[in-house]
Amino acid sequence: MKNNCLAKYEFKKELYFRAVEKIKTFFLNGTTIYLMEISSMNLTEYMSALTPEECFKLNIISNLQKKIEFSASRFLKHFLFGENNIAYTESKSPYIIGEKKFISISHSRNFVAIGTNNDFEIGIDVEEIDSKAARLSSKFITEHERTLFDEHSNADMTLLWSFKETLYKLSDRRQLIFQKDILVSKNGDNYVGSVQKTDGVYEYDLSKLLHQNIFITCNTSKGILKP
């Protein structure tokens, strides 16, 4: 048993060594974001890093793309933090058992990201720029947001959608209405977001960066309850 475990450990080390080349690290005002390119070709490698509990969860997932995203996110988590499992609070916010860090996880078709912050709860989102957000913009953009973002721009609508996904992750409620409960505005040159939570509306500073064709967004402040 000992030799088998050692062989598995050495195999993982080799996988992680190769993964380093596909992991990019970004810093946004105290939040560290690790972005990893993923591929269906690597699903077997991602699965090899899963704990028994994670394997059980994977077997429940029927959609292939969701399997890839789940396995890749846990592979990246193991690379960063070891084999402690990810758990969730009652409001569905993720945390790593045994770690004193706030984390957030995001997926796109080709990338997975994990954000960490030592001081406050975070939400992050990763979105590849395409036409989908612009086509669906009428479902989430407000009149005020139309003065800040070009509704016909794929990039602008992807960014606005990403901001709202980030804010959604910060709420302890679900089934929010994106045109009513999650709003984006500007304070000078800085983006600010507000989201409905159980005890009121909270406001957050928002930040973004563009990497290749990907927007990465996150909150860069602790939420403040609006009067």
Side-chain angles (χ1 to χ4, degrees), residues 79-115:
F79 177 83
L80 298 172
F81 304 111
E83 295 189 355
N84 290 346
N85 286 313
I86 294 175
Y88 292 85
T89 66
E90 291 184 1
S91 61
K92 306 302 181 182
S93 296
Y95 66 93
I96 297 172
I97 297 173
E99 289 282 342
K100 295 181 179 179
K101 290 179 181 290
F102 297 96
I103 72 165
S104 183
I105 302 170
S106 182
H107 315 92
S108 70
R109 177 162 293 276
N110 298 303
F111 293 88
V112 61
I114 294 179

Side-chain angles (χ1 to χ4, degrees), residues 27-93:
F27 303 96
L28 285 173
N29 296 339
T31 294
T32 304
I33 298 173
Y34 304 92
L35 180 74
M36 186 178 77
E37 186 177 356
I38 62 177
S39 169
S40 60
M41 300 294 292
N42 296 327
L43 177 58
T44 301
E45 293 186 355
Y46 303 148
M47 290 172 60
S48 71
L50 300 183
T51 66
E53 180 178 333
E54 290 165 346
C55 286
F56 176 79
K57 291 180 179 179
L58 180 69
N59 289 333
I60 298 174
I61 301 172
S62 58
N63 181 275
L64 176 59
Q65 181 61 30
K66 296 296 183 183
K67 282 181 178 288
I68 296 168
E69 293 171 358
F70 177 87
S71 300
S73 68
R74 271 51 184 180
F75 181 93
L76 179 57
K77 188 270 297 182
H78 291 321
F79 177 83
L80 298 172
F81 304 111
E83 295 189 355
N84 290 346
N85 286 313
I86 294 175
Y88 292 85
T89 66
E90 291 184 1
S91 61
K92 306 302 181 182
S93 296

Side-chain angles (χ1 to χ4, degrees), residues 4 16 18 28 67 74 138 171 176 187 191-192 210:
N4 289 339
Y16 292 155
R18 295 205 303 267
L28 285 173
K67 282 181 178 288
R74 271 51 184 180
S138 62
S171 180
L176 298 178
N187 182 6
Y191 289 100
V192 177
L210 182 63

